[in-house]
Amino acid sequence: MDQAPEQKPRIEGVKYRKVRLYRSVTTTIDGVPSTRREPYDGWEPVPPRDWDEAILRGAAGVATAFTIAAVAGGTASIGGLLDELVPAPFAYAMGSCFAGAWLFCTALEWRNRTAPERARPARAAGWFFLLLSMGAVLAYGQTKGALWAGAFGACLDVISKGSWLLLLREYAVPLDADVAHWVRDQEQKLAGRALLAGRVRRLHRRAAYQRAVGGPEFQAADKMLTYVEARHTLPEAAAEPAPEPAPAPAPVVAAPPAAPAAPAATTPADQPASSVPSVPPTDEQNDQRDGEQPAPMPPVSDITRPSMAAICRKEIAANATITDAELVAAVLAAGHPKKDNLADTVRRTARRVDPKRKAS
């Protein structure tokens, strides 16, 4: 059985806390091991307290308390001011909108704390709504004959708004112009991908819905549009000439070594000449000597001629009642070679180009 791991020695000045830990214990009987997890109590060091984080959390709690008090007081004051015009539930609901407006703008300003240009409209709108709320509270104090009380109550909204503004400045990180431009480019790319994905998703959802419930009308329209698209794309594909294959390089045949020529008898009148080695005749020369002609090469078709589909489409467009024989003659006139099944090929091509064509 394995021994329990020893506890590490403690360090002076470091706080420790007792925790439940687990260790693996392996038991071997007759050569067969079995491992289980065994709990035991141990001590682990406690990290020091982050006072900066604690202070920021406390500041956020204080700002939240200010906001709750400002919203409650503003709602009660503005609701009491409007209670004479509308029923009380609606009056207090309308009163809460004044505080909710500048809180909404503060949330947007917090969201864009790293982009001052985008946060500027929310900041301006927030101060405008705050002035409206303060004016409503001040007017309520005037109606009650307590103008100073209304003024001090209106300042509670300024305290709440200012606390959030200071807290936002603590979390906002100013970005350099280059870094801000890079972040804006990345946001634009991601937003573009998300927008395109949403549009494609809506189109696919609409197409699936139409296929499911569109009925025979949608199926007929789909077939008609598919046929039209195929007719428009077929001439373009047929009009493109096939690329001309590059000529294959001629094989280089090494000449066999020539046998030494026998010295020829010369006369004194003859001039001395350099000996020229004789080359043995090739198989083609031997065949010509024997009277046999080489096999003729098959004719090479002109690859620049129009396709049969293009010819049939052109002739049918010019004359809708043209016969199959006239189409075959037009195909031959365009340079296509004469084959045994040429008439059948032309007839099938004409049916494919014009499905309503009758046999002729």
Side-chain angles (χ1 to χ4, degrees):
M1 181 179 297
D2 297 341
Q3 298 294 331
E6 297 181 0
Q7 185 69 33
K8 295 182 180 180
R10 295 189 180 185
I11 303 174
E12 292 291 338
V14 178
K15 293 184 178 181
Y16 288 83
R17 59 186 175 188
K18 189 176 182 180
V19 294
R20 176 58 61 93
L21 302 177
Y22 294 89
R23 59 192 173 192
S24 298
V25 178
T26 302
T27 304
T28 304
I29 300 177
D30 293 337
V32 180
S34 177
T35 304
R36 69 182 183 89
R37 296 188 62 188
E38 180 182 29
Y40 70 98
D41 294 332
W43 297 88
E44 66 177 12
V46 179
R49 180 180 295 275
D50 189 356
W51 289 106
D52 291 340
E53 185 67 22
I55 291 174
L56 284 178
R57 290 183 178 179
V62 172
T64 303
F66 288 163
T67 303
I68 294 175
V71 171
T75 301
S77 300
I78 302 174
L81 181 64
L82 300 177
D83 192 11
E84 300 177 358
L85 303 177
V86 294
F90 296 100
Y92 288 101
M94 294 169 62
S96 64
C97 294
F98 286 83
W102 66 261
L103 279 176
F104 171 78
C105 296
T106 304
L108 293 182
E109 187 178 356
W110 173 276
R111 179 66 179 81
N112 298 313
R113 61 186 180 276
T114 58
E117 295 181 359
R118 298 180 61 180
R120 188 175 295 112
R123 185 182 302 112
W127 285 110
F128 174 73
F129 293 144
L130 181 67
L131 292 177
L132 288 181
S133 179
M134 294 176 61
V137 174
L138 189 63
Y140 180 72
Q142 176 67 25
T143 57
K144 293 296 183 180
L147 181 62
W148 286 105
F152 283 109
C155 291
L156 186 58
D157 289 341
V158 179
I159 295 175
S160 176
K161 174 72 174 178
S163 62
W164 283 113
L165 179 62
L166 295 175
L167 187 63
L168 185 146
R169 290 176 61 88
E170 289 294 327
Y171 282 96
V173 179
L175 299 180
D176 183 68
D178 297 334
V179 178
H181 184 269
W182 183 87
V183 172
R184 185 164 54 252
D185 286 346
Q186 299 303 318
E187 289 180 347
Q188 290 177 357
K189 291 179 182 178
L190 293 177
R193 292 190 179 96
L195 178 61
L196 181 59
R199 296 284 179 85
V200 173
R201 188 183 304 111
R202 284 195 296 270
L203 291 176
H204 288 176
R205 186 184 301 115
R206 184 180 301 175
Y209 177 80
Q210 292 294 338
R211 285 194 298 268
V213 301
E217 294 81 3
F218 177 80
Q219 297 177 2
D222 189 18
K223 291 181 179 179
M224 293 172 60
L225 292 177
T226 304
Y227 173 72
V228 172
E229 292 176 358
R231 291 196 61 180
H232 280 287
T233 56
L234 184 60
E236 297 178 359
E240 296 179 357
E244 182 178 358
V252 179
V253 180
T266 59
T267 59
D270 298 334
Q271 296 294 334
S274 59
S275 59
V276 179
S278 60
V279 180
T282 60
D283 296 339
E284 184 179 357
Q285 295 175 354
N286 292 332
D287 295 340
Q288 293 178 358
R289 290 179 181 179
D290 296 340
E292 297 180 359
Q293 297 296 332
M297 297 295 293
V300 180
S301 302
D302 187 7
I303 62 175
T304 60
R305 64 174 181 266
S307 63
M308 290 187 186
I311 297 172
C312 293
R313 187 175 296 104
K314 178 180 178 182
E315 297 297 331
I316 293 174
N319 184 10
T321 60
I322 190 172
T323 62
D324 294 343
E326 292 175 347
L327 289 176
V328 172
V331 169
L332 292 175
H336 285 267
K338 186 175 182 181
K339 300 179 182 180
D340 296 339
N341 60 343
L342 180 61
D344 295 337
T345 304
V346 171
R347 184 171 60 257
R348 288 195 302 269
T349 304
R351 300 300 183 278
R352 186 170 62 254
V353 171
D354 187 6
K356 299 180 180 180
R357 179 180 175 80
K358 298 181 181 180
S360 59

